[in-house]
Amino acid sequence: MFQQLTSLPPDPLLGIAVAYRQDTNPKKVDLGVGVYKTEDGNTPILTSVSKSLQILLDSEDSKSYIQARGNQAFLDGMEKLVLGANNPLLTSGRVESVQAPGGTGSLKLGFELIKRGNPNAKIWVSDPTWANHVALIKSTGLATEAYPYYDKANSKLKADEMLSTLAELGPNDVVLLHGCCHNPTGEDITPELWTKIADLAVEKGFVPFIDIAYQGFGADLETDVAGVRELVSKVPEALIVTSCSKNFGLYRERTGLITTISETPVSAGIALTHVLNIAREIYSMPPSYGGAAVGILLADDALTTEWKTELAEMCGRMRNLRALLVDKLHERNVEKDFSFINNQNGMFTFLGINPEQVQQIRDEYAIYMAGSSRINIAGISNSNVDYIADAVAAVL
Ligand code: LMR
């Protein structure tokens, strides 16, 4: 059986981490996979999360299965975090959430749910989007197409083109949107654009599917999801996937959830039975550890305050690194204006160099980034920023 298989190339993002690890160049720099790093290049456990994990370890008295939909404190806390504690949706009976293994596992549940609801649905993704979005949609057997999003040559949003495309859609369409800190471009939907997308969704009947993997990495926890909240307050149906990998630093604990917003409490209950059934068919029930820790953290005011401070620190550091990189590039008198990097949000930006230049930087400087020229801002540090700027200036 296995003789019939042929080898696949490495994953476009995870493969970078493997190549970086194997590189023996002492000056190597990892700007690849989206993982937060400190000035020393470490990805520490947040103190607030560490304390929550300790509380969990001290209090957990069984390793029996948790309920299929996940940890209730986690689900309640995360719904409030994303939708806002006083959002009337939370008491409407129209919202149901299920914990799943990370953002990826949650996305898979969402796409499978769409397939059950409408096998002919087409999923529209931003051009470009996170590479795994397309892979997940295709693995579910759904059709997918891209809507215009980012003008790579001019490093700006293609807002008008995006709206024109969305204006042609209808009830068979699902539009996948990045809630904030767009991956890979860093270019976010503006508040005005969120309003227009929401109005179009209501008018045309397409279903918004929002992926939130970086809440708190853009401006702050509230501002980052203001557009999402406006959108879901207007539409009859939506899906939201939320990951705790980045903002809680729980990458390896695979902690995420899918939230469905349905037109009525009855259809919400029905959708929930399907999400649980899909999860049962794939992995039965979610891992406990990460969700339980976030549930403890969000139910505790002191831990939540501490976490918010740590999150704001990570966010502030990435903002400073953006400004530092822009300054260092301009100091080298490169022709290209990189100031757009300062106006973007989150972990990523496109340098806007071509794949050959990306490869040249990797070969000559051992600086690793995605082939698209996406860089992880958090991989920059005060000690490597000059080296990075030298490399970019050299290939330009
Ligand atoms: C990324 O985009 O680098 C991260 O979301 C990690 C991943 O799984 O791709």
Side-chain angles (χ1 to χ4, degrees):
M1 180 172 63
F2 299 141
Q3 282 100 317
Q4 309 306 318
L5 298 174
T6 51
S7 275
L8 293 173
D11 178 85
L13 286 170
L14 304 184
I16 303 170
V18 176
Y20 171 79
R21 268 198 297 275
Q22 287 166 352
D23 196 321
T24 52
N25 186 332
K27 286 178 140 179
K28 66 182 178 176
V29 178
D30 179 14
L31 304 179
V33 180
V35 172
Y36 181 79
K37 292 178 191 152
T38 61
E39 179 65 23
D40 307 326
N42 298 322
T43 307
I45 306 175
L46 299 183
T47 307
S48 53
V49 171
S50 199
K51 287 180 185 171
S52 307
L53 287 167
Q54 194 56 53
I55 294 172
L56 176 61
L57 277 180
D58 292 344
S59 58
E60 193 176 49
D61 54 9
S62 173
K63 286 292 181 193
S64 176
Y65 298 120
I66 60 170
Q67 63 165 348
R69 70 183 303 175
N71 180 294
Q72 200 58 49
F74 167 72
L75 297 172
D76 292 344
M78 289 302 294
E79 283 182 355
K80 286 186 185 142
L81 192 69
V82 171
L83 294 172
N86 300 317
N87 194 320
L89 272 173
L90 292 178
T91 47
S92 67
R94 294 173 50 213
V95 177
E96 297 289 355
S97 295
V98 172
Q99 184 183 336
T104 301
S106 309
L107 284 163
K108 181 69 177 165
L109 296 185
F111 294 133
E112 292 288 353
L113 179 67
I114 292 165
K115 193 175 174 197
R116 287 193 182 186
N118 179 1
N120 298 317
K122 181 184 272 186
I123 317 287
W124 290 79
V125 299
S126 60
D127 176 23
T129 192
W130 181 48
N132 216 24
H133 278 153
V134 178
L136 283 161
I137 296 165
K138 288 191 173 157
S139 79
T140 311
L142 287 164
T144 179
E145 202 168 325
Y147 58 83
Y149 187 78
Y150 189 65
D151 176 351
K152 211 170 173 183
N154 297 300
S155 308
K156 65 181 181 60
L157 213 55
K158 284 185 174 171
D160 293 341
E161 294 93 321
M162 175 181 178
L163 288 174
S164 308
T165 302
L166 299 192
E168 299 299 315
L169 307 188
N172 275 335
D173 295 297
V174 176
V175 177
L176 185 58
L177 300 157
H178 297 230
C180 60
C181 306
H182 185 270
N183 179 5
T185 67
E187 196 73 40
D188 275 345
I189 298 172
T190 59
E192 300 72 37
L193 194 53
W194 276 111
T195 303
K196 289 181 181 161
I197 294 169
D199 294 345
L200 271 178
V202 173
E203 189 190 328
K204 306 291 175 184
F206 62 78
V207 179
F209 186 154
I210 303 135
D211 186 357
I212 305 176
Y214 300 91
Q215 188 180 354
F217 271 24
D220 57 67
L221 280 167
E222 301 298 313
T223 313
D224 286 359
V225 288
V228 174
R229 289 178 186 171
E230 180 187 348
L231 174 61
V232 299
S233 73
K234 291 182 175 172
V235 293
E237 289 184 337
L239 296 103
I240 304 175
V241 153
T242 314
S243 164
C244 299
S245 293
K246 324 278 168 156
N247 53 3
F248 289 92
L250 279 166
Y251 308 87
R252 67 174 63 167
E253 301 305 341
R254 311 311 300 133
T255 310
L257 68 153
I258 173 144
T259 302
T260 54
I261 297 169
S262 306
E263 203 157 359
T264 64
V266 172
S267 52
I270 295 170
L272 174 63
T273 64
H274 280 272
V275 177
L276 292 175
N277 177 254
I278 293 162
R280 177 69 169 150
E281 287 177 1
I282 305 178
Y283 57 82
S284 264
M285 58 226 26
S288 159
Y289 201 60
V294 172
I296 288 169
L297 189 155
L298 292 176
D300 182 308
D301 287 344
L303 288 173
T304 300
T305 303
E306 187 171 9
W307 168 66
K308 286 181 180 174
T309 306
E310 292 183 280
L311 182 57
E313 267 170 35
M314 292 195 279
C315 180
R317 180 164 173 276
M318 287 186 286
R319 283 245 155 261
N320 292 340
L321 289 171
R322 283 179 181 274
L324 186 64
L325 178 64
V326 171
D327 287 349
K328 295 288 182 185
L329 286 167
H330 288 169
E331 267 173 26
R332 281 154 181 82
N333 292 319
V334 290
E335 204 180 307
K336 188 176 164 76
D337 178 7
F338 282 97
S339 49
F340 65 89
I341 294 177
N342 278 325
N343 307 328
Q344 298 174 333
N345 292 320
M347 292 196 106
F348 305 114
T349 189
F350 267 152
L351 285 179
I353 57 177
N354 64 38
E356 291 73 36
Q357 292 168 318
V358 169
Q359 190 60 46
Q360 194 184 340
I361 287 186
R362 186 196 279 211
D363 294 343
E364 293 174 15
Y365 293 84
I367 298 175
Y368 288 76
M369 67 185 79
S372 60
S373 83
R374 185 196 83 166
I375 58 166
N376 172 12
I377 296 287
I380 303 170
S381 68
N382 284 295
S383 52
N384 68 22
V385 68
D386 281 296
Y387 184 64
I388 295 168
D390 283 342
V392 176
V395 301
L396 283 175

